[in-house]
Amino acid sequence: MNMCLCCHAVKSNLNEAGKGSAPICPGWGCQADKVQRLAEALQERKVGRGNIAQIQQAELTVAYVKDINAKLDTVMQHLKLATPPLANNAEVMERDIAASHAVPIKR
């Protein structure tokens, strides 16, 4: 962010809570290269944390699905219902894919 002709700053919500926080101006705003490196480092952290959050959300979703599947299996066993053929085929397909790629599938 250019504040004027020679002053450079990074706009961020790191320094003051709420609206109207002051931009970060290393070297009194005269060091454009330092400001650029700071902006790039902050962007990398933001992207990294976003990716981590997506992975954690996906892992949580997998855990919920496993829990629901376990409960559904229990209900089906209690009611003496057979496993649907599609479910059996899906498990076979997962094993075949995992074997062909030699990558274990997390469950």
Side-chain angles (χ1 to χ4, degrees):
M1 157 181 172
N2 264 343
M3 295 177 61
C4 62
L5 294 177
C6 67
C7 294
H8 302 275
V10 175
K11 191 173 183 180
S12 173
N13 62 353
L14 294 175
N15 48 351
E16 290 180 23
K19 296 179 182 175
S21 63
I24 301 170
C25 303
W28 297 95
C30 298
Q31 297 177 344
D33 58 332
K34 193 176 222 178
V35 170
Q36 182 65 30
R37 287 194 313 266
L38 178 62
E40 289 169 0
L42 289 173
Q43 180 64 25
E44 285 178 21
R45 286 183 183 186
K46 185 174 77 172
V47 168
R49 289 183 178 157
N51 291 341
I52 290 169
Q54 287 178 345
I55 290 169
Q56 289 173 339
Q57 187 64 37
E59 289 172 347
L60 185 61
T61 301
V62 168
Y64 286 145
V65 169
K66 285 181 181 179
D67 186 47
I68 290 170
N69 283 341
K71 289 177 182 177
L72 184 58
D73 288 343
T74 303
V75 168
M76 289 180 68
Q77 286 174 358
H78 177 73
L79 296 175
K80 297 180 175 126
L81 296 173
T83 305
L86 183 59
N88 291 333
N89 289 339
E91 290 173 4
V92 169
M93 288 173 55
E94 284 180 358
R95 282 195 303 265
D96 290 345
I97 290 170
S100 67
H101 294 294
V103 176
I105 295 177
K106 290 184 177 180
R107 285 194 159 220

